[in-house]
Amino acid sequence: MSRTGELIRKYDFTFRKKFGQNFLTDPSIVEKIVDASGAGPDDTVLEIGPGAGAMTVELAKRAKKVVAVEIDSALEPILRETLSDYDNTTVIFSDVMKLTDEELLAAIGEGAVVVANLPYYITTPIIMRLLEGQLKLKSITVMVQKEVADRMQAQAGTKEYGALSPAVQYRAEPVRVMTVGPECFIPRPAVDSSVIRLDLYDRPKVEVKDEKLMFALIRAAFNQRRKTLPNAITGSSELSFTREQISAALNKMGLDERIRGEVLDIEQYARLADTLSDKTAIT
Ligand code: SAM
């Protein structure tokens, strides 16, 4: 039985599906994730969701400091045992999404490395937050559902392309490290997982005058992805462009008015936002 399995049994821990609890049991996978993250002796690591601490221990051996944020305080006795030999670790029992940027920055400082086997129910909001730039991170290496990793890497016009694709590709190059089957976890998830490293650019990949507007356009396009782009944008409660304004912008870019948002890449979203940003738009 794996060390994680032993601890689960010893402490009679009950997995909570609502927290996306699928713990890694294979030490070689943990090692590969930590290797891929590049975390070293000068780094502070932010781990989201340490679970029973399998990855936390490996990170603590290599990094200067590990700050782990865990929502489930029922894991406290297990983490106390697993981390007892590592005084460079701190566990904050909280929902990571409820911690403010200021609170997180106070705990990890600037230039931290994120390493996490993310809870699947909340992957996208966490990734979006990590990419926003407020936490001034050095790198992000995460385990996600394979299909989410596919989406991060997808090119415009493919069926995997979603709102997450241009959002990730704006700030980072997603590099797939490996794909892992359900047998490497307890309990077993229903799907394959992938480890993906987001190599952050020093500056976003494309220049855009109004980043907020660009992201609102991306959200509008993918919220109603079956609609044409003018229909999706006019249907958005976040935006108040007229159909004429959108048609004029698309014409100016040499694009057909019947186009759907799923065929525009990040460069085109930036151009669309720039073309529209002269008009008053965000409500
Ligand atoms: N890192 C461990 C591993 O690899 O074995 C556990 C990974 S498990 C997929 C996700 C972990 O995130 C669980 O421990 C879960 O309780 C925790 N978690 C879920 N939602 C969270 C949230 N909003 N904030 C912090 N931790 C969360």
Side-chain angles (χ1 to χ4, degrees), residues 19-24 47-52 54-55 69-72 75 94-97 117-119 121-122:
F19 290 148
Q21 292 177 336
N22 301 97
F23 293 177
L24 273 167
E47 186 188 9
I48 299 164
M55 205 144 74
V69 180
E70 173 57 63
I71 199 169
D72 189 357
L75 286 161
S94 170
D95 178 343
V96 72
M97 296 306 278
N117 171 13
L118 288 178
Y121 76 100
I122 198 180

Side-chain angles (χ1 to χ4, degrees), residues 28-269:
S28 71
I29 305 282
V30 170
E31 206 171 313
K32 280 188 195 145
I33 299 173
V34 176
D35 278 350
S37 77
D42 295 329
D43 291 316
T44 294
V45 177
L46 168 63
E47 186 188 9
I48 299 164
M55 205 144 74
T56 325
V57 165
E58 213 43 54
L59 289 165
K61 286 182 194 164
R62 304 193 196 188
K64 184 166 80 183
K65 181 175 152 189
V66 183
V67 176
V69 180
E70 173 57 63
I71 199 169
D72 189 357
S73 53
L75 286 161
E76 194 173 353
I78 297 185
L79 283 167
R80 204 178 306 122
E81 175 168 337
T82 22
L83 303 179
S84 59
D85 291 339
Y86 302 94
D87 57 10
N88 59 341
T89 58
T90 309
V91 183
I92 302 172
F93 285 98
S94 170
D95 178 343
V96 72
M97 296 306 278
K98 291 202 175 134
L99 293 176
T100 63
D101 291 336
E102 291 69 31
E103 286 169 328
L104 273 172
L105 267 173
I108 61 176
E110 288 187 9
V113 168
V114 171
V115 188
N117 171 13
L118 288 178
Y120 293 163
Y121 76 100
I122 198 180
T123 303
T124 300
I126 292 179
I127 296 284
M128 296 301 278
R129 171 144 191 226
L130 297 176
L131 287 171
E132 262 165 21
Q134 312 301 331
L135 296 174
K136 309 200 187 323
L137 301 170
K138 181 171 161 190
S139 68
I140 303 170
T141 305
V142 284
M143 170 98 85
V144 295
Q145 278 185 46
K146 180 181 171 293
E147 69 171 47
V148 176
D150 292 344
R151 224 176 299 147
M152 290 187 200
Q153 292 187 305
Q155 298 304 306
T158 62
K159 79 174 188 326
E160 291 81 16
Y161 194 66
L164 190 62
S165 320
V168 166
Q169 292 162 21
Y170 177 59
R171 299 229 183 245
E173 188 190 346
V175 179
R176 180 103 44 153
V177 176
M178 64 178 160
T179 292
V180 181
E183 67 285 355
C184 298
F185 302 85
I186 42 168
R188 293 184 177 204
V191 293
D192 282 343
S193 307
S194 285
V195 177
I196 196 144
R197 195 179 64 228
L198 303 178
D199 289 342
L200 296 161
Y201 300 129
D202 292 336
R203 303 156 112 246
K205 189 168 182 186
V206 296
E207 270 186 40
V208 59
K209 285 187 220 155
D210 185 344
E211 197 177 89
K212 257 175 89 179
L213 171 59
M214 180 178 75
F215 281 106
L217 290 168
I218 292 173
R219 273 193 299 276
F222 287 95
N223 274 346
Q224 304 189 54
R225 65 184 288 160
R226 295 193 186 288
K227 291 194 174 175
T228 63
L229 199 50
N231 280 346
I233 296 172
T234 51
S236 158
S237 57
E238 263 188 291
L239 297 161
S240 59
F241 293 109
T242 64
R243 171 171 296 277
E244 290 67 36
Q245 287 171 325
I246 304 158
S247 298
L250 290 174
N251 285 335
K252 203 169 162 191
M253 290 170 66
L255 296 174
D256 193 300
E257 287 171 33
R258 285 161 304 176
I259 204 164
R260 289 182 184 177
E262 62 200 13
V263 303
L264 265 59
D265 62 19
I266 185 65
E267 183 87 42
Q268 290 169 309
Y269 274 110

